[in-house]
């Protein structure tokens, strides 16, 4: 018997491609979309193909597909957005900026373009431009949690704690389960001296499956410096290390607690591990006046001699 070949029409190919795409079955979706494009070139289908290449980290092919789209319609905002996200992945932030601006030119309501444009400006420390674009994104999409998170973080850097707290609280009100939301509230409340609130939010952050690791660090610092409870601080640093043992600052602060408790051998081992994780911490250690007594101990002198000898 001959095998029966079922030929699907354009609409059926696109429909099946869309279903697979929504289920993150990108290989299946790509097969259907490419077959559909042999029948008819549609910008939306081409965009999805380009995004599949993007998800596969094939940024050159994705970029080329978005370029083909724009050759068919130079006003297609999503085409410029697609070029921009690929430029970001290819470490071309200045080109990405230009493409995001083009996307916004043809679609002034493109709030994700404003958001990612703001992210680039933030990374470049151009905070006024970053704030402007986060605010634009929020003006279009008021419940854009990440825009509130990032905008609040910039205000915190600028020590504008009222605005930082405002946006952190809005983000928490939208979705308290998102990573960083509780952490940012903890940071701001620490800065304004509301330590109990800070600890509550930091504790909420570490309860999340993907909670921000530096919440352990900040909690430990509060237990050590505010509560004067070195054992509780140690416990928090150890819990953070259990989640990720590559964070030098967790090892360093654990070592400081051990040194202050007079546990010099444990301090030596933890300082050594912190410098292995993050070499710049040794320079910080040399300037850390809180560790001056430890530096005079046998273990303190040894870690200095050994680390200097490794340079």
């Amino acid at each position: 018997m001959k095998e029966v070949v079922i030929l699907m029409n354009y609409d059926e190919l696109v429909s099946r491609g869309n279903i697979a795409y929504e289920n993150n079955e990108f290989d299946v979706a790509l097969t259907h979309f490419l077959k559909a494009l042999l029948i008819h070139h549609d910008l939306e289908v081409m965009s999805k193909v380009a995004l599949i290449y993007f998800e596969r980290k094939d940024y050159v092919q994705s970029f080329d597909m978005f370029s083909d789209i724009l050759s068919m319609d130079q006003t297609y905002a999503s085409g410029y957005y697609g070029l921009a996200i690929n430029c970001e992945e290819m470490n071309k932030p200045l080109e990405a900026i230009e493409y995001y601006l083009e996307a916004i030119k043809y679609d002034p309501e493109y709030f994700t373009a404003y958001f990612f444009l703001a992210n680039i400006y933030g990374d470049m420390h151009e905070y006024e431009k970053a704030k402007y674009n986060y605010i634009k994104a929020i003006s279009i999409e008021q419940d854009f949690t990440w825009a509130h998170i990032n905008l609040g973080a910039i205000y915190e850097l600028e020590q504008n704690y009222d605005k930082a707290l405002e946006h952190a609280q809005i983000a928490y009100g939208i979705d308290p389960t998102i990573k960083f939301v509780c952490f940012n509230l903890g940071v701001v409340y620490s800065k304004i001296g509301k330590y109990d609130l800070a600890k509550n939010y930091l504790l909420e952050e570490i309860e999340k499956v993907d909670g921000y690791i530096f919440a352990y660090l900040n909690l430990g610092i509060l237990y050590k410096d505010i509560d004067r409870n070195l054992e509780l601080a140690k416990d928090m640093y150890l819990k953070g290390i259990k989640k990720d043992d590559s964070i030098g600052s967790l090892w360093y602060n654990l070592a400081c607690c051990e040194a202050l408790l007079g546990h010099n051998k444990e301090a030596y081992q933890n300082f050594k591990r912190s410098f292995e994780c993050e070499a710049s911490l040794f320079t910080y250690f040399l300037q850390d006046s809180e560790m001056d007594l430890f530096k005079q101990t046998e273990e303190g002198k040894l870690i200095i001699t050994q680390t200097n000898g490794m340079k």
Side-chain angles (χ1 to χ4, degrees), residues 65-80:
M65 178 64 82
F66 280 118
S67 297
D68 289 342
I69 291 168
L70 289 169
S71 71
M72 297 170 61
D73 183 354
Q74 294 182 358
T75 68
Y76 195 67
S78 293
Y80 294 106

Side-chain angles (χ1 to χ4, degrees), residues 153-195:
I154 291 177
Y155 281 127
E156 187 271 323
L157 283 173
E158 296 178 334
Q159 299 183 3
N160 187 339
Y161 299 129
D162 287 341
K163 296 294 288 185
L165 189 59
E166 174 189 340
H167 287 283
Q169 287 174 330
I170 292 172
Y172 185 87
I174 298 168
D175 188 351
T177 67
I178 291 181
K179 186 178 182 178
F180 296 114
V181 170
C182 296
F183 176 82
N184 285 7
L185 279 167
V187 169
V188 178
Y189 278 122
S190 294
K191 293 292 178 67
I192 62 177
K194 295 187 177 182
Y195 301 117

Side-chain angles (χ1 to χ4, degrees), residues 186-244:
V187 169
V188 178
Y189 278 122
S190 294
K191 293 292 178 67
I192 62 177
K194 295 187 177 182
Y195 301 117
D196 286 340
L197 279 171
K199 285 184 285 186
N200 287 340
Y201 281 112
L202 291 170
L203 286 167
E204 189 173 343
E205 181 71 23
I206 66 174
E207 288 299 315
K208 300 173 186 176
V209 174
D210 65 340
Y212 189 40
I213 190 68
F214 286 96
Y216 292 96
L217 177 67
N218 286 20
L219 273 167
I221 291 170
L222 288 174
Y223 289 139
K224 170 182 169 288
D225 294 340
I226 303 302
D227 295 346
R228 304 295 181 185
N229 190 328
L230 294 175
E231 291 295 342
L232 200 53
K234 273 180 53 179
D235 181 64
M236 195 53 59
Y237 297 137
L238 286 168
K239 286 179 178 177
I241 288 166
K242 188 174 181 180
K243 284 198 77 171
D244 186 344

